[in-house]
Amino acid sequence: MAKNVLICDDAAFMRMMIKDILSKNGYNVAGEAENGARAVEKYAEVKPDLVLMDITMPEMDGIQALKKIKEGDPGAKIIMCSAMGQQAMVIESIQAGAKDFIVKPFQADRVLEAVKKVIG
């Protein structure tokens, strides 16, 4: 059974890149969100096995979305994505319950390593 993943990033190009990496490796992309608020809605709709969440997004950032999702589902598995130089935000997201983080620009093997570590 393929694992369902929700991809949250305000850049369509980034979502497409992650989707491509995951699809080629047997994961099912259950949904996409372009901001944190939409990510929270989508999570409730699709109940994914994993969320890949960008930190910097409009409307609601990834850390706020992470906290909201965790409130509703303490067992939610979320991997944060951030650009270089956002160490403080990465630490904050790990403290808020993120399982791992991936640094942009993405490397396929790093994305897969994080995903496998969190959901197998």
Side-chain angles (χ1 to χ4, degrees):
M1 181 72 194
K3 298 280 189 179
N4 290 320
V5 183
L6 173 63
I7 301 170
C8 312
D9 197 305
D10 55 329
F13 172 73
M14 285 296 179
R15 292 197 307 269
M16 192 181 71
M17 229 164 84
I18 298 169
K19 191 178 189 170
D20 191 51
I21 293 167
L22 295 174
S23 302
K24 283 181 180 159
N25 288 278
Y27 293 95
N28 176 47
V29 175
E32 295 181 32
E34 64 288 339
N35 62 53
R38 191 77 190 100
V40 174
E41 287 168 18
K42 269 294 205 203
Y43 185 88
E45 274 170 42
V46 300
K47 302 268 190 285
D49 298 300
L50 177 71
V51 180
L52 286 173
M53 178 91 68
D54 185 22
I55 290 180
T56 315
M57 292 186 290
E59 272 182 65
M60 180 191 288
D61 69 31
I63 294 173
Q64 287 176 292
L66 162 76
K67 289 174 179 170
K68 274 243 183 292
I69 290 170
K70 285 294 226 178
E71 265 171 37
D73 180 1
K77 293 181 172 73
I78 302 170
I79 296 176
M80 303 304 283
C81 308
S82 79
M84 286 301 257
Q86 292 184 316
Q87 272 73 18
M89 288 171 127
V90 167
I91 291 165
E92 187 183 342
S93 60
I94 298 289
Q95 287 168 339
K99 299 287 183 204
D100 201 349
F101 70 94
I102 309 166
V103 177
K104 294 177 180 179
F106 298 120
Q107 274 147 351
D109 54 353
R110 176 65 187 110
V111 171
L112 292 168
E113 176 194 317
V115 170
K116 280 186 185 117
K117 191 174 93 179
V118 176
I119 59 169

